[in-house]
Amino acid sequence: MTDTTPEFAPVDPSRREAKSLLAVDARTRRRNAAESRFKAYGIGAIAIAILALAWLVITILSDGLPAFRQTYATVPVTLSAEVVDPKGNRDPAEMSSVFTLSYGQLLTDGIKTYLAENSIDIPNLSDTDIADFFSDQARTTLRTQVLTDPEMVGQTVEVPALTSARVDGYFKGRVTMEQAAIDSRTSPEQLMLADALKDRGALETKFNWDFITNADASETRPEAAGLGVAIIGSAYMMLIVLALALPIGVAASIYLEEFAPQNRFTDIIEVNISNLAAVPSIVFGILGLAAFINFAGLPRSAPVVGGLVLTLMTLPTIIIATRAALKAVPPSIRDAALGVGASRMQTVFHHVLPLALPGILTGTIIGLAGALGETAPLLLIGMVAFVQDIPSAPPAGFFEPASALPVQVYNWTNRADPAFFERASGAIIVLLLFLLCMNLLAIYLRRKFERRW
Amino acid sequence: MPVLWIILIVLALAAVGYVLGSRRALQQVDGDIRQLHSRPSYYGWNVALYVMVPSFIVMLIWLLAQPLIVERSVSRYLPDEAISEGESRGLVLNQVGQVAGTLRAAINQDVLTRPEALSLTVDDQDRLDLMRENGLALLTQQPILDAAQHNLRITQAGATWLSIIVILLSVGGLAYALWRTNPEFRARNVVEQVIRYILIGCSSIAIATTVGIVLSLVFESINFFQLYPWTDFFFGTEWTPSFGGGSELGLLPLLWGTLYISFIALLVSVPIGLFAAIYMSEYASPRVRSFAKPMIEVLAGIPTIVYGLFALVTVGPLLRDWIAQPLNLGDTGSSVATAGIVMGIMLIPFVSSLSDDIINSVPQSLRDGSLGLGSTHSETIRQVVLPAALPGIVGAVLLAASRAIGETMIVVLGAGAMAQIDVNPFEAMTTITVKIVGQLTGDNDFASPETLVAFALGLTLFTITLALNIVALYIVRKYREQYE
């Protein structure tokens, strides 16, 4: 009270005279200004947060959307028999002895013939420029096609061939003529060739299914790198997390919420769960490395270890959500069931649990979404390995090396070629789409089963 | 027999047991359910549980214990002469394990038959060449190969005994439970008791996880401190690991980087988060709130790798070109400021959601009292609501700080890897989490201090974040009780 006491002292009469009810005095104006300033800070804070979100999303979209489109060149390629099938008996086993390099020569010849026939003349266009015009992957693809269909030998075919990352980047605005002049891996002539082909319709940029289905590719061919293995690896891990974390989490919550007595043991469990929810994710990675790989001897880079680690990480989230859902079921339901002679176990499993199920599912989906985006622990258990083979079907596939979506992003950001940054952003778009779908599903479930008692 | 097969056999036996059990109970009362103590399905479940529970428990213990027993037996088998000078027994045992793994792979890929693998000697050039052709190079000395074959033999014997014992146990359980099935048997009570124990077991996984974390961190850290003096680790100011030996592994530069980045992150997130929370809980109309709150919370749901890429590709170059280079403060995009600002954006929702809850829980009567005395809305907030909510807000900030200290991907991608103590925020620095990733990825030899240091770093990180979390939870909880 002492602070306010002077306010009640007699006010100077001159001040009192000047005061009208309608005029706002200086002090009130100051206070009102402070009021609106304070409000503006709040609006500013919210605006900054939302702008940051928008900035993040727009950057990722503008960087990543080009990864879904890829440039292919379609020129007639003559698969001359003496090159691809020197023995002349159309036997794939013998044809497989032909190196991919020879197929690259065929592609180069195809372009040269095409240029001559259409009388396109590009000054200073060297053979290396034409050879580098295609991705290394293009000749491998062509070889595979010929080996699976030996009838193609001797014919002139038009198959879309993957162009190199620089040519592709030229049409996406990533590579310019000026840059090409100083870049050792492309040249302005190459880009002029690309323009010429584009004018005649022999070059097109189309939707890139390979980005979603292919495996990762080596450092030198970003244009061929895809997400296939990462998507499968992530899916396997999510399956393991769902199969383990959901039942264990629900069982633990049922015990703690419905049966646990108030004693030391349950206290320790409660404290443990809230602590685990806040342990840094990388510590779970160390646990996985020490316990599952070094001690239990499970294979490195395998979805099973990743799944187990993510299960342990996700459990607290699921337990907290499930307990909230169980708590929301009114006691009258339990009383009614007990009243007609059900045991406590029957009450919980036949009546409470079904009513809490939508809440449990929502919490589980949110936990899974968190696990899907987790990177750090997976780095420690060796999911960074370069994996080219798509893992087989479960359960054997759980023990084979795989990648995961966020780790694939991390892998690509570690590579020098700027084309990999585009791929990384594209992979993030895929990841965010998955997360969006999961969250929409969670919102839908909550809306659909929302119940008021 | 592979473990998966044993599990499937036990599950099949359990299914058979369920059908037999419920049918037997019904038969004994000629289909009149009223004479049974429990419903028929409980008799079925009773049998199934008798099949599954003992066999799975035995299997679990066996699988956990077998590697330890095998290692001890192999260690006894390994003569002391086999361990050359300068090598520890653990290192040789590690080699034995690797050789055994290669042999097992050779058997699995049908390169060698089992007897061939068990009789392989280092002089047997033909078979070694055969293995090399299949990508299974085997470079070792005879004693280690002998020990590896011994390992293979007992592992094989262990697997055989495991399948025999587990299957006998489940058949025995089936028979016993069926014999016990009669109308007076209280099947429901037994089943419910078992389910109750299963529920308790599931709850205990939280404890098991914590114990696992602590054990794995502590054991490997002890190994580390036997190789590297702890005073040098905790008080060293140099971080220069080299896998050839002679590394300086001082914690202080990493700790400095961690705290500095977290400080900048809090500098960004606390004012923004707090003002956002104040506006949303005190001023915003329900419509604005229902739009703004979920939008801000989206920030918390975005994976950290996305923020990492954002820092690396967008924010880093921007800070470098617009601030660091014009002011001559440095010319790297990976800097403390980059990682700190991006991490700050990530932490906004943590601060704002928790503060929002806490501000909302300040009773309306306090506000009414203040407004009734003639203070403006903002004066009420600053002088009544915030002081009342302060302990809770401090708790929220501490929780955000522990998130910042444990954050990995943003700093891995945004802050660089230079371990140094510097005050310039536009210099690259590094954190504890970055170095854990750095020391543990790639081919690691678990006997070198350069790898083991990661566990000591992990222990430090775990201790710091745990302490912060406990303090924060204590403050938040204690404060929340005040008005209830």
Side-chain angles (χ1 to χ4, degrees):
Chain A
M1 277 314 277
T2 47
D3 290 346
T4 51
T5 318
E7 299 279 328
F8 295 99
V11 184
D12 181 3
S14 61
R15 262 180 75 186
R16 192 182 289 168
E17 260 170 53
K19 198 160 183 178
S20 143
L21 270 181
L22 295 175
V24 184
D25 66 15
R27 184 159 166 270
T28 313
R29 255 205 306 279
R30 232 180 19 249
R31 288 175 64 198
N32 285 343
E35 170 74 27
S36 40
R37 257 202 321 273
F38 192 77
K39 218 168 150 177
Y41 294 150
I43 295 175
I46 292 179
I48 289 175
I50 291 177
L51 281 180
L53 176 66
W55 186 26
L56 180 76
V57 171
I58 290 170
T59 323
I60 296 292
L61 283 183
S62 65
D63 285 355
L65 281 179
F68 292 93
R69 301 179 63 73
Q70 196 74 40
T71 311
Y72 293 86
T74 317
V75 289
V77 174
T78 311
L79 298 164
S80 68
E82 56 263 37
V83 179
V84 295
D85 189 14
K87 299 243 173 72
N89 50 13
R90 304 286 188 270
D91 178 10
E94 280 180 20
M95 279 156 64
S96 65
S97 64
V98 177
F99 291 121
T100 45
L101 220 53
S102 323
Y103 287 90
Q105 188 59 46
L106 290 179
L107 285 168
T108 314
D109 291 343
I111 287 249
K112 280 189 186 157
T113 327
Y114 185 82
L115 291 182
E117 277 172 6
N118 289 276
S119 54
I120 305 169
D121 184 40
I122 294 161
N124 297 331
L125 185 68
S126 69
D127 278 7
T128 348
D129 285 340
I130 303 181
D132 287 348
F133 183 75
F134 290 107
S135 159
D136 291 352
Q137 189 71 29
R139 50 193 195 215
T140 321
T141 317
L142 188 62
R143 180 168 177 265
T144 323
Q145 277 173 343
V146 173
L147 289 183
T148 46
D149 181 16
E151 292 304 309
M152 287 164 77
V153 174
Q155 296 176 1
T156 303
V157 293
E158 290 198 20
V159 283
L162 195 57
T163 57
S164 79
R166 298 295 149 89
V167 173
D168 179 49
Y170 176 57
F171 291 109
K172 294 172 180 170
R174 201 175 58 229
V175 178
T176 58
M177 282 288 181
E178 293 80 47
Q179 284 170 357
I182 46 173
D183 188 348
S184 66
R185 288 178 59 186
T186 184
S187 64
E189 287 77 29
Q190 222 176 52
L191 301 185
M192 285 194 282
L193 170 65
D195 272 335
L197 291 180
K198 179 109 182 164
D199 287 344
R200 294 201 169 44
L203 197 76
E204 60 168 342
T205 307
K206 56 183 183 186
F207 189 80
N208 185 11
W209 277 112
D210 290 345
F211 177 58
I212 298 168
T213 54
N214 269 10
D216 190 11
S218 66
E219 198 117 349
T220 52
R221 40 183 142 174
E223 64 278 356
L227 284 172
V229 175
I231 291 179
I232 291 182
S234 276
Y236 281 2
M237 286 195 287
M238 289 306 106
L239 269 181
I240 294 174
V241 175
L242 187 67
L244 290 178
L246 182 61
I248 295 177
V250 171
S253 321
I254 288 178
Y255 178 71
L256 292 175
E257 200 57 42
E258 305 281 340
F259 297 107
Q262 277 290 328
N263 60 26
R264 224 200 170 90
F265 178 68
T266 48
D267 252 15
I268 293 176
I269 294 180
E270 303 247 356
V271 172
N272 254 305
I273 288 172
S274 55
N275 271 336
L276 279 182
V279 167
S281 60
I282 193 154
V283 172
F284 283 95
I286 299 182
L287 170 73
L289 180 67
F292 299 133
I293 293 180
N294 283 356
F295 182 71
L298 291 172
R300 284 180 140 254
S301 316
V304 62
V305 183
L308 286 174
V309 169
L310 294 179
T311 300
L312 294 182
M313 277 188 65
T314 321
L315 264 180
T317 321
I318 294 185
I319 292 179
I320 291 167
T322 306
R323 291 188 66 177
L326 288 174
K327 207 176 276 178
V329 176
S332 56
I333 305 272
R334 294 182 182 80
D335 294 344
L338 291 172
V340 294
S343 71
R344 282 182 71 192
M345 201 63 82
Q346 286 170 324
T347 308
V348 171
F349 280 95
H350 297 176
H351 300 272
V352 178
L353 199 57
L355 289 175
L357 209 56
I360 295 174
L361 285 181
T362 315
T364 307
I365 293 170
I366 300 212
L368 277 181
L372 181 64
E374 199 53 67
T375 322
L378 301 184
L379 297 183
L380 296 194
I381 57 163
M383 299 291 281
V384 267
F386 178 80
V387 182
Q388 263 229 297
D389 302 320
I390 290 183
S392 48
F398 289 153
F399 295 88
E400 287 168 19
S403 186
L405 271 176
V407 183
Q408 191 68 65
V409 175
Y410 173 72
N411 257 350
W412 284 341
T413 56
N414 276 344
R415 297 191 188 164
D417 198 313
F420 275 115
F421 282 96
E422 175 193 291
R423 300 264 149 176
S425 299
I428 281 184
I429 294 179
V430 174
L431 180 64
L432 290 181
L433 274 180
F434 276 122
L435 291 182
L436 189 71
C437 291
M438 291 167 96
N439 278 303
L440 287 180
L441 184 66
I443 292 173
Y444 170 77
L445 282 177
R446 192 158 24 188
R447 287 267 161 83
K448 182 164 169 138
F449 294 105
E450 198 169 48
R451 192 189 299 253
R452 281 173 193 280
W453 278 293
Chain B
M1 203 182 302
V3 174
L4 189 72
W5 276 101
I6 306 181
I7 294 177
L8 286 180
I9 289 175
V10 173
L11 287 180
L13 275 173
V16 171
Y18 178 86
V19 176
L20 288 182
S22 51
R23 199 177 286 169
R24 186 174 153 85
L26 273 176
Q27 267 168 6
Q28 284 178 340
V29 291
D30 298 325
D32 183 7
I33 298 180
R34 284 173 301 174
Q35 290 179 30
L36 289 173
H37 169 269
S38 313
R39 291 170 58 206
S41 67
Y42 280 106
Y43 290 94
W45 273 114
N46 177 47
V47 179
L49 287 173
Y50 265 99
V51 173
M52 286 191 290
V53 172
S55 19
F56 282 145
I57 289 178
V58 166
M59 197 154 91
L60 197 68
I61 294 174
W62 190 295
L63 288 178
L64 286 177
Q66 181 163 315
L68 296 177
I69 295 170
V70 167
E71 186 167 298
R72 183 164 300 170
S73 159
V74 169
S75 176
R76 228 182 293 130
Y77 188 84
L78 203 64
D80 283 330
E81 303 91 73
I83 297 161
S84 57
E85 254 171 70
E87 272 183 325
S88 70
R89 186 163 269 269
L91 206 64
V92 177
L93 280 177
N94 221 348
Q95 269 184 41
V96 171
Q98 280 168 8
V99 172
T102 317
L103 287 178
R104 200 169 291 132
I107 296 168
N108 285 342
Q109 294 173 19
D110 289 328
V111 179
L112 298 178
T113 60
R114 177 167 284 280
E116 273 175 347
L118 288 179
S119 61
L120 187 71
T121 58
V122 281
D123 308 321
D124 196 345
Q125 236 5 278
D126 293 345
R127 283 182 200 161
L128 289 179
D129 284 342
L130 190 66
M131 285 176 72
R132 199 166 298 126
E133 274 168 33
N134 287 282
L136 298 161
L138 195 66
L139 302 169
T140 186
Q141 301 126 351
Q142 190 60 46
I144 292 180
L145 185 61
D146 283 343
Q149 285 163 344
H150 179 65
N151 175 332
L152 222 55
R153 234 172 272 133
I154 37 178
T155 323
Q156 161 79 4
T160 315
W161 278 110
L162 172 67
S163 26
I164 292 174
I165 290 177
V166 165
I167 288 171
L168 278 183
L169 208 59
S170 46
V171 172
L174 181 82
Y176 178 71
L178 274 181
W179 172 70
R180 286 233 323 199
T181 302
N182 65 59
E184 280 81 45
F185 179 61
R186 295 167 170 260
R188 195 189 77 191
N189 302 30
V190 174
V191 170
E192 289 190 349
Q193 200 59 34
V194 174
I195 291 179
R196 199 185 167 98
Y197 284 122
I198 292 176
L199 295 183
I200 295 179
C202 287
S203 314
S204 316
I205 286 183
I207 300 181
T209 310
T210 312
V211 170
I213 288 176
V214 171
L215 283 185
S216 55
L217 289 175
V218 166
F219 271 114
E220 301 286 0
S221 297
I222 290 175
N223 283 344
F224 170 68
F225 288 125
Q226 279 169 352
L227 296 168
Y228 193 86
W230 66 273
T231 44
D232 288 7
F233 174 71
F234 283 111
F235 304 110
T237 53
E238 285 291 318
W239 176 272
T240 47
S242 69
F243 277 86
S247 324
E248 293 279 340
L249 302 170
L251 172 71
L252 291 181
L254 309 185
L255 196 61
W256 168 256
T258 307
L259 296 180
Y260 198 178
I261 291 178
S262 309
F263 175 72
I264 293 181
L266 291 180
L267 220 53
V268 172
S269 60
V270 170
I272 297 180
L274 198 54
F275 272 113
I278 290 172
Y279 187 82
M280 280 192 301
S281 55
E282 296 285 332
Y283 288 104
S285 63
R287 261 187 58 203
V288 173
R289 190 182 154 87
S290 68
F291 168 76
K293 201 173 156 83
M295 283 305 263
I296 292 180
E297 274 165 5
V298 167
L299 284 172
I302 292 177
T304 53
I305 180 83
V306 180
Y307 287 104
L309 188 69
F310 183 58
L312 182 71
V313 179
T314 311
V315 179
L318 201 77
L319 285 180
R320 182 190 61 203
D321 296 345
W322 291 87
I323 300 180
Q325 277 177 344
L327 296 177
N328 250 337
L329 286 170
D331 47 7
T332 166
S334 304
S335 65
V336 169
T338 308
I341 289 172
V342 175
M343 203 193 286
I345 295 176
M346 183 196 85
L347 291 178
I348 291 173
F350 288 97
V351 178
S352 76
S353 292
L354 258 177
S355 309
D356 191 37
D357 285 353
I358 286 154
I359 291 172
N360 270 330
S361 73
V362 173
Q364 187 62 28
S365 59
L366 289 185
R367 290 188 193 88
D368 291 346
S370 168
L371 290 170
L373 287 172
S375 52
T376 65
H377 207 150
S378 65
E379 285 164 350
T380 305
I381 293 166
R382 268 188 310 228
Q383 291 169 3
V384 176
V385 178
L386 283 188
L390 195 63
I393 290 170
V394 171
V397 171
L398 286 182
L399 280 182
S402 94
R403 286 260 167 188
I405 288 172
E407 175 47 47
T408 313
M409 293 323 292
I410 297 177
V411 282
V412 165
L413 291 175
M418 284 268 286
Q420 56 174 343
I421 300 181
D422 197 328
V423 286
N424 179 358
F426 295 99
E427 282 287 328
M429 275 175 230
T430 194
T431 66
I432 296 178
T433 48
V434 173
K435 286 301 160 195
I436 294 178
V437 171
Q439 304 307 106
L440 283 182
T441 42
D443 286 331
N444 22 11
D445 164 18
F446 271 92
S448 70
E450 287 76 20
T451 305
L452 288 174
V453 69
F455 291 91
L457 289 176
L459 189 62
T460 316
L461 181 71
F462 182 72
T463 317
I464 296 176
T465 51
L466 192 67
L468 271 179
N469 288 330
I470 290 175
V471 173
L473 284 177
Y474 175 76
I475 294 178
V476 171
R477 198 169 286 176
K478 184 173 173 162
Y479 167 73
R480 276 207 182 132
E481 283 163 4
Q482 271 183 2
Y483 299 111
E484 281 168 3

